[in-house]
Amino acid sequence: MNIAISQSALTNQKADIVISFSFEDDSLLKATKKRLVELYPTASAVVNSNDFKGTLRSTMVIYTGAKGASKVIVAGLGKKDSCTAETLRRASSAAAKRAAAYGVQSIAIEAVLGNGLTPEESCLSLLEGAVLSNYKFDKYITSAKGKKKINSITLFSDSKQLVAAGKSVSAMAKSIYDGVTLARDLAQAPNNEIYPETLAKAAVNAAKGTGIKVTILDKKKIQALKMGGLLAVNQGSVRPPVFIVMEYKGGKATDKPFVFVGKGITFDTGGISIKPAAGMSDMKGDMHGAATVIGGIIAIAKAKLPVNVVALVPSTENMPSGTALVPGDIVTFMNGKTAEIDNTDAEGRLVLADALHYASRYKPKAVIDFATLTGACVVALGTVTSGLMGTDSHLIDQIKKASTRTNEYVCELPLHEEYEDLIKSDFADVKNSGGRWAGAITAGLFLKHFIGDYPWAHMDIAGTGMAPSDRDYWPKGGTGIGVRMLVDLVKNWKA
Ligand code: BES
Ligand code: MN
Ligand code: ZN
């Protein structure tokens, strides 16, 4: 994706299609129309028709005749006083999608200020909405081969201030595009493309040229480290596990790193406690946590943020076979604790347990794990909001703020110790399933047994990782959830 910023007039754009915005408020809509008719007298019929009212997500197409690009798409922003960063993302996304439907490759977007937003926030939001909206996982559709997609976006304005702001955020917009797109591609890819070893290769490839150091721990090293949870889930699988370590040192050598941990189950059949057939293919996305933390560290490194970050991914398939883990088995983890297996489909927490213990060696500033962990979280919050849990109110507070700024919704669930009763085992330190009640919370409490002496937060993205349909700049399928939030969190971190 090529992103350019230009100080220029609406009628001077070289892109295939130009996008401009209008508020819904009477006087502002009138002013837009007056300007458009002055610039494009031949378009007065459509402009004055009243079909376009400036409401959010609505668009109007003007055939310009001679001046500059052949079409201008005017996109509604709704009322000015409710124009937030998210409004700008959504309006920009609606306009970019309308443009993409014409099969064009380049668009130019006229910058506009949101209500109470800085020029930088406004420009970044407009770019985000446009670059994230035209994602399609169509590489396996042979008839889509060679189809044109938007690959060049110019943000323009005749205001010096907006142009300067655009220039200051364009590298960030590109980094976010790269990180989110990578996460979506990884999450959406089927298991015959992305399995543990190819996930590791994808991490190595993505890190090229970013300064991120990638280390892949293979099965032998995982055995030597006694990562009993990861090995237990893997033991039914022909394909070996990997443990991916990515390290980005953008901060001072003495700065403690943020550690991100991502669940990397490349396919979850449920194992011996096998899942029903209907909808099982969604479980190719059971490594969205991994996709989030890999996409996140890539975006942070590409944006050259001055922080230290480590991403950890324990990865395996969860398969039933003659060698698979069975209910009743007792597993010993890297930290020496034991768990009784009640349900082999509660496998995510087993691999995360070892990774959360491994994280301690970095003496982290904070650890955040992302996991498509429980169906219970989807029942509670649907596909709109991620479940948030953790041990540290400062970290939770910073995550909530980042979530508000990026519009990646979170809702905190309580880790009250009373729920521990549900995962008590008669034969081991803890049981890996607590049954149906409070399923997202008991999963969080299980993880808590394995954290080290660091602030910790857990994000259950089971519902938000895979979207059931397109929504604004989120595509159906792997959403890339969490990448933007991680970038925002470390960028705006307050100690
Ligand atoms: N990967 C699933 C959770 C999931 C469900 C993700 C739906 C995305 C959409 C996880 O490994 C799982 O199977 N969890 C079980 C846990 C239970 C056995 C305690 C669940 O939620 O049913
Ligand atoms: Mn499972
Ligand atoms: Zn799973």
Side-chain angles (χ1 to χ4, degrees):
M1 181 67 64
N2 183 51
I3 299 175
I5 311 294
S6 126
Q7 173 147 14
S8 48
L10 184 69
T11 46
N12 258 335
Q13 303 307 314
K14 291 184 192 68
D16 298 326
I17 289 184
V18 176
I19 291 167
S20 183
F21 298 95
S22 177
F23 291 106
E24 186 184 349
D25 315 64
D26 272 349
S27 61
L28 298 171
L29 183 60
K30 263 200 196 118
T32 303
K33 293 189 171 181
K34 183 161 173 278
R35 175 192 184 210
L36 290 169
V37 172
E38 275 167 21
L39 291 174
Y40 308 111
T42 56
S44 65
V46 62
V47 171
N48 289 323
S49 69
N50 260 345
D51 286 353
F52 176 74
K53 298 184 175 63
T55 51
L56 181 58
R57 297 189 181 86
S58 70
T59 51
M60 164 171 70
V61 181
I62 293 174
Y63 289 72
T64 59
K67 289 179 205 153
S70 66
K71 294 185 196 72
V72 172
I73 294 176
V74 187
L77 293 167
K79 294 264 166 58
K80 182 164 187 182
D81 62 8
S82 61
C83 183
T84 63
E86 182 64 6
T87 309
L88 294 181
R89 289 184 203 110
R90 290 176 178 179
S92 181
S93 163
K97 282 184 182 176
R98 182 96 198 243
Y102 290 102
V104 301
Q105 286 179 282
S106 65
I107 57 175
I109 301 174
E110 185 171 43
V112 60
L113 267 175
N115 185 39
L117 300 179
T118 64
E120 288 76 15
E121 287 165 335
S122 300
C123 289
L124 182 61
S125 304
L126 290 168
L127 287 171
E128 282 179 330
V131 299
L132 297 178
S133 66
N134 283 301
Y135 178 85
K136 228 175 159 35
F137 187 82
D138 57 8
K139 67 177 173 184
Y140 290 106
I141 298 175
T142 53
S143 62
K145 287 255 149 64
K147 256 204 187 152
K148 288 179 183 163
K149 281 191 185 159
I150 291 173
N151 59 19
S152 165
I153 296 180
T154 304
L155 187 74
F156 72 93
S157 174
D158 49 23
S159 143
K160 266 194 188 147
Q161 192 199 25
L162 277 169
V163 169
K167 286 190 173 152
S168 76
V169 300
S170 68
M172 176 57 89
K174 171 83 166 78
S175 306
I176 285 174
Y177 170 78
D178 288 344
V180 173
T181 302
L182 173 64
R184 288 173 177 176
D185 282 343
L186 291 174
Q188 192 58 36
N191 191 49
N192 62 350
E193 177 188 334
I194 291 291
Y195 45 88
E197 286 173 314
T198 52
L199 180 63
K201 278 196 189 121
V204 170
N205 273 339
K208 279 187 188 139
T210 63
I212 295 173
K213 180 180 161 206
V214 187
T215 311
I216 308 299
L217 309 184
D218 62 8
K219 187 172 175 179
K220 274 210 174 104
K221 296 207 180 92
I222 292 167
Q223 283 168 331
L225 285 165
K226 299 194 164 68
M227 291 186 164
L230 178 54
L231 290 165
V233 178
N234 179 253
Q235 78 190 41
S237 184
V238 173
R239 291 182 176 130
V242 297
F243 190 90
I244 304 169
V245 180
M246 302 173 81
E247 295 166 304
Y248 166 66
K249 296 203 166 90
K252 293 193 217 90
T254 51
D255 288 351
K256 289 180 165 184
F258 294 94
V259 177
F260 307 152
V261 176
K263 172 178 172 181
I265 301 294
T266 60
F267 196 82
D268 181 13
T269 65
I272 294 296
S273 313
I274 197 161
K275 289 181 182 294
M280 202 203 272
S281 67
D282 280 354
M283 288 300 119
K284 68 185 171 187
D286 209 19
M287 31 58 69
H288 200 312
T292 298
V293 304
I294 294 171
I297 195 172
I298 291 287
I300 288 165
K302 287 196 172 178
K304 299 193 164 62
L305 294 181
V307 291
N308 296 333
V309 176
V310 178
L312 303 176
V313 173
S315 180
T316 174
E317 306 165 325
N318 184 24
M319 292 290 183
S321 83
T323 60
L325 191 67
V326 299
D329 280 357
I330 293 175
V331 173
T332 304
F333 296 86
M334 186 179 175
N335 73 345
K337 283 202 181 187
T338 59
E340 178 188 358
I341 304 307
D342 178 58
N343 189 319
T344 65
D345 199 9
E347 83 298 339
R349 63 199 76 183
L350 304 180
V351 306
L352 291 170
D354 286 326
L356 287 170
H357 177 69
Y358 188 90
S360 293
R361 67 180 55 198
Y362 293 100
K363 303 197 174 9
K365 187 189 312 239
V367 176
I368 308 165
D369 75 72
F370 286 81
T372 48
L373 204 59
T374 66
C377 191
V378 192
V379 172
L381 301 173
T383 60
V384 176
T385 306
S386 303
L388 170 64
M389 285 149 262
T391 53
D392 186 86
S393 58
H394 180 68
L395 173 59
I396 298 275
D397 183 54
Q398 305 258 326
I399 290 176
K400 285 179 180 168
K401 288 190 169 123
S403 140
T404 302
R405 288 187 294 259
T406 54
N407 215 68
E408 295 192 335
Y409 301 130
V410 299
C411 177
E412 189 178 0
L413 303 174
L415 292 181
H416 298 313
E417 52 114 4
E418 286 86 341
Y419 293 110
E420 278 284 346
D421 289 347
L422 296 168
I423 51 169
K424 280 222 165 86
S425 165
D426 292 329
F427 311 112
D429 297 336
V430 62
K431 198 168 65 173
N432 85 324
S433 153
R436 271 160 49 81
W437 289 8
I441 292 172
T442 50
L445 277 174
F446 182 95
L447 297 179
K448 193 172 162 231
H449 282 267
F450 297 90
I451 63 173
D453 184 20
Y454 50 66
W456 166 69
H458 159 57
M459 291 273 292
D460 194 330
I461 56 169
T464 50
M466 282 279 178
S469 55
D470 283 354
R471 196 172 74 226
D472 293 310
Y473 53 92
W474 281 27
K476 177 178 175 161
T479 59
I481 187 75
V483 172
R484 289 171 48 243
M485 199 209 76
L486 284 177
V487 173
D488 183 286
L489 178 81
V490 303
K491 182 165 182 276
N492 296 303
W493 180 261
K494 302 226 166 30

